Amino acid sequence: MKTQHLWQAQALDAPRISLAFVRHQSDSLRRRTRIINAVNYVVGGAGMAFFAWKSAEFFSAAPLLSAATVLWLAAGLLATLFMRKRFASQEQPAEFGVLDALKFYRQQLERQRDARRGVGRWLPLFFIPGHVMLFMSFFLEVTPIPWKYVVFNAVLIVFGTWMAIATTARGARRIQKEIDALESL
């Protein structure tokens, strides 16, 4: 077939995307990302403050448990700083046309997807020193060893780590569906 025949055979009712729609989708992604980040910061900050307040009562009695608390709080702050950089959303420039805006929106979706995929891999690693210190505290500072608490904390740590990985993976899959929907246009 010649180029002219291909040109004449193309569908005339192909879906058209307006710049306003792409801007709305991009702004919606940015707004959702900001809300999720704000909730993470508020809940994480409140959780760390509550944890520090409740842990203050045994700071002098159990130095290893106190060190575990400090390591967990430091890991939480460090994770918050790293996540802030990775999950931050960028504002779309006003001078973009439809194709540039669509490309920018796709890049933002890919950036959010990759950030969510990656965070499940490296985030739990920050908390390992605190977990190790907790179990050292159980074995060295408490006599007899409270096996019930050791098992409970081990199950809690494994379940919490699994939940963190599963939630971020679910978010990455949701964003991948949006990317796939863009490819079908």
Side-chain angles (χ1 to χ4, degrees):
M1 234 187 228
K2 293 182 177 180
T3 308
Q4 181 180 7
H5 293 289
L6 287 173
W7 177 261
Q8 291 172 345
Q10 72 181 349
L12 296 176
D13 59 343
R16 303 281 188 237
I17 300 175
S18 69
L19 180 60
F21 176 75
V22 175
R23 285 194 179 280
H24 172 72
Q25 291 296 100
S26 183
D27 290 342
S28 175
L29 174 68
R30 198 171 95 247
R31 190 172 35 258
R32 282 191 321 247
T33 302
R34 291 173 113 184
I35 289 171
I36 290 170
N37 289 346
V39 168
N40 285 340
Y41 299 147
V42 169
V43 169
M48 285 189 283
F50 179 76
F51 185 65
W53 175 64
K54 290 304 275 181
S55 300
E57 64 190 38
F58 58 79
F59 260 48
S60 61
L64 290 178
L65 192 53
S66 302
T69 302
V70 169
L71 287 172
W72 281 327
L73 292 174
L77 290 173
L78 187 63
T80 302
L81 290 175
F82 277 112
M83 286 175 35
R84 178 176 170 80
K85 287 182 181 179
R86 290 185 186 266
F87 288 122
S89 60
Q90 298 172 347
E91 190 166 347
Q92 180 176 346
E95 66 271 359
F96 274 176
V98 176
L99 293 178
D100 289 334
L102 197 57
K103 183 178 177 183
F104 177 81
Y105 176 54
R106 181 184 169 85
Q107 287 173 345
Q108 290 301 307
L109 283 172
E110 289 172 349
R111 184 170 180 259
Q112 292 296 318
R113 179 203 58 200
D114 294 341
R116 280 172 175 67
R117 279 185 182 165
V119 77
R121 295 183 191 124
W122 57 263
L123 185 66
L125 298 176
F126 288 168
F127 294 91
I128 288 176
H131 299 331
V132 169
M133 194 65 68
L134 170 74
F135 290 113
M136 285 177 53
S137 168
F138 282 152
F139 291 121
L140 299 175
E141 290 180 339
V142 183
T143 305
I145 297 173
W147 290 105
K148 182 171 57 172
Y149 292 118
V150 169
V151 171
F152 174 75
N153 280 302
V155 169
L156 189 65
I157 287 169
V158 168
F159 179 73
T161 304
W162 176 78
M163 283 297 295
I165 293 170
T167 344
T168 56
R170 188 182 72 203
R173 283 193 304 271
R174 181 186 54 79
I175 291 174
Q176 182 61 46
K177 286 180 183 178
E178 288 185 47
I179 293 171
D180 294 341
L182 278 179
E183 289 178 1
S184 67
L185 293 178

